[in-house]
Amino acid sequence: MHKSSRKIVAEVQVHSGLKYPHRLSLYDQPPTEDITIEEFETCAIDRLRVLSEIESCYARNRPFDELKEITHSQSEKHIPLDHNSATTKDRDGQRRKDNTGHFVLRLAFCRSEDLRRRFVKAETTLFRVRYMNTTISERREFHKSGDFDWTLVEVEERKKYASELKLVPDASPEDQYLKVRWTRVPDLVEKRRVLLKDGWAYVPSRELSSIVFQEFQTRLERALAMTAKALPWMDEDTRLEPILANLSQGFIAGVGSEWGANESTGEEIRAEMVDELAHKHFPMCMRNLQENLKRNHKLKHFGRLQYGLFLKALGLSIDEAMVFWRKSFTGYNDDEFNKKYKYNIRHLYGLEGRRANYPAKSCQQILMNDQPGAEDSHGCPYRHFSADNLQTALLSMYSPQGLTEADLPEIMGTVKAEAFHVACTRVFEITHTTQNVAKGDGIGSGETVTHPNQYAAASRALERASGDGDTVMR
Amino acid sequence: MPSAETEPPTPELMLVFYRRLYPFKSIFKWLNHEHTPGRLFTHREIAFTLQNDVYLRYNSFTTADEFKKQTCTLNPTRFEIGPVYTARPRDRKTIRPGAFTPAQRELVFDVDMTDYDSIRTCCSGADICKRCWGFIGAAVRVLDTAVRQQFGYRHLLWVYSGRRGIHLWVSDREAMGLTDDQRRALVDFLTVVQGGKDMNKKVNVRPVVKGQGRAGDLPPSIQQAVDQLADPFGDLILQEQDCFRGEAGWKELLQLIPDSKIVERLEQKWTRSEDRSSYDKWTDLKEEIKALYKTSQARQPMKQAMQDIILQFTYPRLDAEVSKHRNHLLKAPFCVHPKTGRICVPIDPEKIDEFDPDLVPTVGQLLRELDAVASEPSGEEHSDWEKTSLKPYVDMLEKYALGLMSEVRKDRLANDMTW
């Protein structure tokens, strides 16, 4: 008895005899068997739980290690997939559920551009985490099955480009290389982690996962676009329609970390108050923009965008905003101003163009998107200033509020460790010591700054609480 | 008959220009890649800026003639070219919003002198002279090589922007089809000078060596650029612009030097002898490095700093937003710059250093040339440009478009199975 079962295991490992031979899947085979309505829904909901969790990790800006941990435990809980050797488990059943759930959600999330984008992001992350948790031999099998269309670079070719290949970051002479069109590994190209020749990317084999992830994403994007086209044909099925509509709702309601205008204090801010508020309550990025604006009487496009949306969320109405910007741009006559900037400002308030209610930019967006060019003054000073300029700026901006030279080493230390929001939070604490904020309190119950408006709101709340806003100014 | 003076064109001049000189046929061939109008032309957005600064988006045309007719009717100050959409832009209101998206678009780049204002010493703002053109020349050389050799594209059209910059249009099939993500990756790959006004060291592209925490060698693509830029740096920064002669200039230079002892020594030396040229100062720096022991820990960072300085002063400063999105509009070649009156002519990248923005024909000049030959009976109106100094430039675009068209023909033959 004992002996025979061992024999079966050995057989399974050679050719598993499973309908789904791999744990990982590129989801190229839709389920074709009969599925009950109930199963249709439960498979999807279990998967959706995991995907929502992934989305909220992104929204909270968790580091990748944490995200990986959370994703792994969530997927173990709701949609587990066991290794081929786990013969006591219903591996085919698990994989069938995984596959079905994925395809149902495709139907639910192909409806709009936005849903598609979010679904692709979450699914790709899930795939990535699962891929990282597989064994090397599993990956090898999976690579063979996937038709990834890459070529191994021959020795002669490697010799020909040896001098350049050795300059690729972290290169070692023993590296094997795969050759693919550069368009298939944009993330590696962006980070300059491959050698580019004539449109071909020479990818070190240790970066191979990048090709796999990209391929997963590209195929899913393409498949979703196809599904979207076929969808109207399916809308007639009255049993599925409500389920699918429900599912996509669940995804949308799951997250929300935008700092909209409605979250401001309700109290109206007038144009002439901005400068004073800036001195008392603005985080450094906005102080810097205000000071640049005062000094140069203009701001470049992304500066206006960052600052304008911040002011909007702070409670500056469109009329007051118009007054504020008009007064600040002194070098222009009314005609020029109206022509060049009026539209722009109205656009921020959703009165032109797409008429979207743009939220103010979060720290993450300010740090990661729209990197300032050589002449720009937007961005995050903690990240985008050089060390000595940052120190000078800190002292000149915040010494009236109690920041001293002795505080600088600590702040600069966090900046050096690239914990920019921590540095910003520390400055908040230092400049609010008179209001009994101690180190570690953050902007309230230990929270760190993740949004400039949150910084300003916390600072203004403290002032109101201590009830001596006026005396502090004098 | 070159003219150095600039003249903002009047609406009357513009209308004659569109009627008689603007090469609509060639532009059509360049956009369409073949003789019979295809989606590349019919689904293409054209945006007009009218004389009163009204901006008309989402125009599209079925033929080159229709394009010309509408342009003459509207008589815009300029027009821009957008992406090829999934449907005709002029019909966009009749289709489902989700079904109208950008599908294809030339890969475009924009390099503008304003991004160099902090380092050029000769002019500032809207002004440009032959001397600042050196920055553009260096940028063109680096970009042209990178796009051809690293990305493997063949169909590159460089176009003068009419005042102080240059545009690049890449029309290879793969380039036309790039997604926004891919465009962003490509631009980030090519972006080296970064960080705002308040960041002294704007070049931070060295990978950290694993386990050692120090900066490593430049990635291969950028190493190649440094090799290309060493000469222009000498000519442009040290000689022509003489960037480090003034106090502000050399102080900025010293901020980029990692070795505080060297900085201190040079600061003393340069404060004493006020009028040392940039070339002399650069030599001083080199001497300091030579004086360091070959095995010294300080030597490598100094050598790296020198390379980084060359990059910071001469590497192309791209306007990245233009390249990242398929739906970004860019002024069409052969438009007239509304302030200078100069034509946005194509430029041969091989001869970029000979190019002088002051010698580019203006619309006024071209019409005067036309008047001079007007007495002769002319055949068809649309070839009037042949009688003016616009001819070499139109010929350049024609030749370029022919290259594109023959490629499309070859592809078609290869795919044609009906023999």
Side-chain angles (χ1 to χ4, degrees):
Chain A
M1 177 69 196
H2 188 75
K3 204 175 167 185
S4 68
S5 76
R6 198 188 279 161
K7 196 172 150 217
I8 291 169
V9 174
E11 229 175 58
V12 164
Q13 275 170 342
V14 176
H15 43 82
S16 57
L18 292 168
K19 183 162 178 278
Y20 299 93
H22 304 287
R23 252 211 286 188
L24 294 169
S25 171
L26 288 172
Y27 304 106
D28 36 18
Q29 292 295 328
T32 46
E33 64 271 43
D34 289 340
I35 298 171
T36 63
I37 286 280
E38 199 190 337
E39 195 186 358
F40 184 89
E41 196 170 5
T42 47
C43 286
I45 288 180
D46 281 343
R47 190 179 195 81
L48 187 57
R49 289 216 169 91
V50 182
L51 297 187
S52 305
E53 204 57 48
I54 294 174
E55 263 226 321
S56 87
C57 283
Y58 277 120
R60 281 183 216 163
N61 201 7
R62 286 196 199 276
F64 186 74
D65 284 339
E66 267 178 50
L67 177 144
K68 191 175 143 193
E69 196 60 36
I70 291 169
T71 310
H72 181 63
S73 67
Q74 285 291 319
S75 76
E76 284 296 291
K77 194 164 144 199
H78 300 292
I79 37 174
L81 289 177
D82 277 300
H83 190 269
N84 273 354
S85 62
T87 44
T88 53
K89 300 276 176 57
D90 177 13
R91 289 149 301 161
D92 256 343
Q94 290 176 341
R95 290 167 199 186
R96 179 166 172 267
K97 180 180 173 185
D98 182 63
N99 204 43
T100 311
H102 173 87
F103 276 98
V104 175
L105 290 188
R106 272 196 194 177
L107 291 177
F109 294 126
C110 65
R111 306 175 165 235
S112 76
E113 182 74 38
D114 180 52
L115 280 175
R116 284 201 290 270
R117 195 175 42 76
R118 290 164 59 183
F119 179 66
V120 169
K121 189 171 179 191
E123 274 284 347
T124 312
T125 309
L126 175 63
F127 177 81
R128 209 167 141 172
V129 171
R130 282 176 164 174
Y131 182 92
M132 289 168 137
N133 284 317
T134 53
T135 63
I136 293 182
S137 63
E138 268 183 299
R139 281 183 212 176
R140 208 170 287 143
E141 287 297 313
F142 178 65
H143 294 158
K144 267 190 232 158
S145 74
D147 183 22
F148 287 103
D149 188 27
W150 51 44
T151 8
L152 194 68
V153 177
E154 302 291 334
V155 183
E156 296 94 76
E157 201 174 357
R158 236 157 65 205
K159 277 200 189 126
K160 186 170 148 202
Y161 295 129
S163 62
E164 286 164 281
L165 282 172
K166 83 171 196 289
L167 290 177
V168 173
D170 305 330
S172 85
E174 293 92 58
D175 277 340
Q176 295 272 333
Y177 290 88
L178 297 162
K179 204 160 103 169
V180 295
R181 274 319 278 181
W182 80 267
T183 47
R184 291 183 50 196
V185 283
D187 56 327
L188 294 180
V189 171
E190 186 171 342
K191 289 183 241 145
R192 304 195 188 95
R193 301 196 62 86
V194 288
L195 178 68
L196 278 188
K197 283 276 166 205
D198 221 18
W200 294 94
Y202 290 72
V203 184
S205 50
R206 75 195 119 79
E207 309 267 21
L208 180 137
S209 52
S210 228
I211 309 181
V212 178
F213 300 154
Q214 191 62 42
E215 190 65 20
F216 180 89
Q217 185 177 337
T218 317
R219 288 192 195 185
L220 183 54
E221 275 164 1
R222 221 180 297 144
L224 281 177
M226 302 259 291
T227 317
K229 274 187 197 152
L231 200 66
W233 172 79
M234 219 196 65
D235 271 354
E236 291 168 17
D237 193 323
T238 49
R239 299 164 308 162
L240 302 185
E241 173 58 23
I243 298 179
L244 293 178
N246 235 339
L247 286 172
S248 46
Q249 279 303 316
F251 208 31
I252 294 170
V255 278
S257 81
E258 286 169 347
W259 199 274
N262 51 342
E263 281 167 83
S264 67
T265 52
E267 153 195 10
E268 216 220 321
I269 290 173
R270 290 187 314 279
E272 61 272 20
M273 293 160 64
V274 172
D275 196 44
E276 187 193 319
L277 283 171
H279 277 93
K280 282 157 66 179
H281 302 299
F282 287 7
M284 195 171 186
C285 49
M286 302 300 168
R287 275 286 294 268
N288 178 47
L289 285 170
Q290 170 68 15
E291 265 157 43
N292 262 291
L293 180 60
K294 256 167 58 185
R295 197 167 49 238
N296 306 327
H297 311 293
K298 63 176 186 194
L299 277 183
K300 297 198 92 174
H301 172 76
F302 283 110
R304 294 198 303 276
L305 189 70
Q306 181 176 329
Y307 197 37
L309 289 173
F310 168 82
L311 291 175
K312 178 176 91 164
L314 194 72
L316 196 69
S317 69
I318 174 67
D319 295 333
E320 290 296 320
M322 211 53 92
V323 175
F324 171 75
W325 289 105
R326 181 67 201 95
K327 279 187 179 163
S328 306
F329 277 59
T330 47
Y332 299 82
N333 63 36
D334 281 340
D335 204 30
E336 282 169 334
F337 179 82
N338 287 345
K339 218 177 263 174
K340 279 185 148 158
Y341 302 108
K342 196 173 170 185
Y343 177 92
N344 207 230
I345 297 161
R346 288 173 53 81
H347 191 242
L348 293 183
Y349 280 78
L351 300 168
E352 302 280 359
R354 271 174 65 195
R355 295 178 176 268
N357 184 14
Y358 298 100
K361 290 192 182 293
S362 67
C363 292
Q364 190 193 3
Q365 287 168 308
I366 292 172
L367 284 167
M368 306 309 293
N369 302 350
D370 308 324
Q371 293 301 308
E375 303 288 313
D376 282 324
S377 43
H378 69 275
C380 171
Y382 299 102
R383 171 159 191 209
H384 297 121
F385 279 24
S386 44
D388 36 342
N389 283 343
L390 177 59
Q391 301 194 32
T392 321
L394 276 168
L395 284 177
S396 77
M397 282 186 200
Y398 292 111
S399 53
Q401 280 150 287
L403 185 133
T404 65
E405 207 142 334
D407 296 315
L408 291 180
E410 187 193 349
I411 298 171
M412 297 314 290
T414 41
V415 168
K416 209 168 166 213
E418 303 202 332
F420 308 111
H421 56 295
V422 177
C424 185
T425 312
R426 185 67 195 120
V427 169
F428 182 93
E429 289 164 358
I430 294 168
T431 52
H432 291 81
T433 37
T434 51
Q435 282 139 332
N436 298 324
V437 176
K439 185 171 179 181
D441 284 355
I443 51 167
S445 52
E447 222 179 306
T448 47
V449 180
T450 56
H451 198 296
N453 282 99
Q454 174 203 26
Y455 183 113
S459 174
R460 296 182 71 202
L462 280 173
E463 182 187 84
R464 268 192 301 275
S466 55
D468 54 3
D470 294 324
T471 48
V472 164
M473 260 322 277
R474 259 173 243 139
Chain B
M1 189 184 61
S3 70
E5 95 283 7
T6 60
E7 36 191 342
T10 61
E12 293 72 32
L13 279 182
M14 289 306 299
L15 186 57
V16 182
F17 173 72
Y18 289 130
R19 281 216 181 115
R20 303 187 57 184
L21 290 173
Y22 191 90
F24 286 97
K25 282 254 157 60
S26 312
I27 291 284
F28 165 81
K29 283 187 239 171
W30 164 61
L31 290 176
N32 191 54
H33 298 196
E34 54 188 323
H35 283 289
T36 37
R39 280 171 170 244
L40 283 179
F41 187 74
T42 58
H43 290 28
R44 173 84 72 163
E45 172 178 2
I46 307 285
F48 293 103
T49 307
L50 304 187
Q51 302 288 349
N52 53 3
D53 268 352
V54 167
Y55 195 45
L56 282 188
R57 285 200 59 185
Y58 301 117
N59 302 279
S60 63
F61 304 101
T62 46
T63 60
D65 286 340
E66 194 194 1
F67 180 23
K68 177 172 181 179
K69 209 172 143 209
Q70 182 71 356
T71 309
C72 292
T73 313
L74 294 170
N75 193 19
T77 55
R78 58 189 181 275
F79 50 87
E80 295 174 313
I81 296 175
V84 178
Y85 284 88
T86 46
R88 291 173 193 223
R90 64 178 175 198
D91 299 338
R92 83 186 189 292
K93 285 192 174 140
T94 61
I95 28 192
R96 205 156 47 82
F100 183 72
T101 50
Q104 289 190 72
R105 157 74 155 153
E106 285 81 6
L107 173 65
V108 292
F109 295 90
D110 178 11
V111 183
D112 193 289
M113 272 326 291
T114 39
D115 289 320
Y116 291 84
D117 272 353
S118 55
I119 47 172
R120 61 174 171 161
T121 55
C122 48
C123 318
S124 72
D127 297 331
I128 185 161
C129 67
K130 181 79 177 118
R131 283 203 296 162
C132 5
W133 192 256
F135 285 106
I136 301 285
V140 167
R141 247 178 310 209
V142 171
L143 265 183
D144 198 71
T145 321
V147 173
R148 282 178 205 274
Q149 294 185 1
Q150 282 150 26
F151 291 94
Y153 297 137
R154 300 277 169 270
H155 299 281
L156 280 69
L157 182 70
W158 288 95
V159 182
Y160 176 49
S161 75
R163 184 147 72 174
R164 57 193 167 184
I166 196 161
H167 299 157
L168 167 61
W169 301 72
V170 185
S171 303
D172 290 65
R173 181 188 294 243
E174 183 185 86
M176 297 281 299
L178 293 177
T179 64
D180 285 2
D181 279 341
Q182 288 163 338
R183 281 166 210 253
R184 201 193 55 233
L186 182 146
V187 173
D188 286 351
F189 178 87
L190 291 173
T191 302
V192 168
V193 184
Q194 258 185 334
K197 232 181 346 192
D198 293 288
M199 177 65 93
N200 297 327
K201 185 166 165 42
K202 297 190 212 285
V203 174
N204 298 291
V205 290
R206 293 175 186 275
V208 176
V209 179
K210 255 193 193 150
Q212 300 181 32
R214 64 176 179 87
D217 292 327
L218 288 172
S221 58
I222 302 175
Q223 182 57 49
Q224 190 185 7
V226 172
D227 298 341
Q228 267 183 305
L229 287 169
D231 285 344
F233 180 82
D235 298 344
L236 182 69
I237 303 298
L238 301 181
Q239 308 272 355
E240 293 249 335
Q241 297 280 336
D242 207 357
C243 286
F244 311 131
R245 183 181 286 272
E247 188 176 334
W250 64 256
K251 289 237 151 116
E252 202 184 327
L253 175 64
L254 286 184
Q255 278 177 332
L256 300 171
I257 305 298
D259 191 311
S260 55
K261 279 190 210 124
I262 296 182
V263 170
E264 206 174 301
R265 269 201 299 275
L266 289 180
E267 191 162 12
Q268 281 174 7
K269 181 170 183 182
W270 295 349
T271 320
R272 255 183 285 122
S273 49
E274 260 175 34
D275 212 37
R276 268 182 96 66
S277 74
S278 299
Y279 190 82
D280 293 339
K281 283 172 180 148
W282 190 251
T283 315
D284 291 344
L285 260 174
K286 282 191 188 158
E287 292 297 327
E288 288 284 353
I289 296 179
K290 270 190 207 147
L292 294 168
Y293 285 113
K294 277 235 161 66
T295 49
S296 159
Q297 291 263 329
R299 199 180 161 100
Q300 189 62 12
M302 277 303 293
K303 284 193 133 170
Q304 293 186 344
M306 301 286 272
Q307 290 185 328
D308 289 355
I309 291 167
I310 294 182
L311 288 170
Q312 174 153 342
F313 281 86
T314 48
Y315 190 89
R317 299 182 169 195
L318 299 173
D319 185 343
E321 291 312 308
V322 175
S323 314
K324 283 180 182 173
H325 305 287
R326 269 172 295 192
N327 59 1
H328 201 102
L329 294 147
L330 195 64
K331 188 158 47 139
F334 289 102
C335 272
V336 176
H337 193 285
K339 290 268 162 36
T340 63
R342 296 200 188 283
I343 317 290
C344 304
V345 293
I347 302 177
D348 180 353
E350 300 283 315
K351 298 184 185 146
I352 186 69
D353 291 323
E354 297 158 28
F355 183 83
D356 185 344
D358 284 339
L359 299 183
V360 172
T362 63
V363 61
Q365 174 201 336
L366 289 174
L367 294 181
R368 281 194 296 277
E369 289 175 16
L370 210 52
D371 285 344
V373 293
S375 46
E376 302 167 28
S378 68
E380 281 180 67
E381 241 186 30
H382 65 254
S383 54
D384 273 352
W385 50 261
E386 287 187 9
K387 298 166 200 148
T388 67
S389 48
L390 201 58
K391 183 172 188 315
Y393 299 108
V394 181
D395 286 343
M396 213 189 292
L397 180 66
E398 274 286 318
K399 200 172 143 217
Y400 176 86
L402 281 180
L404 270 174
M405 289 159 77
S406 76
E407 186 136 310
V408 170
R409 244 193 332 269
K410 256 185 270 163
D411 279 3
R412 187 151 297 162
L413 281 176
N415 293 334
D416 191 5
M417 307 293 274
T418 57
W419 57 84

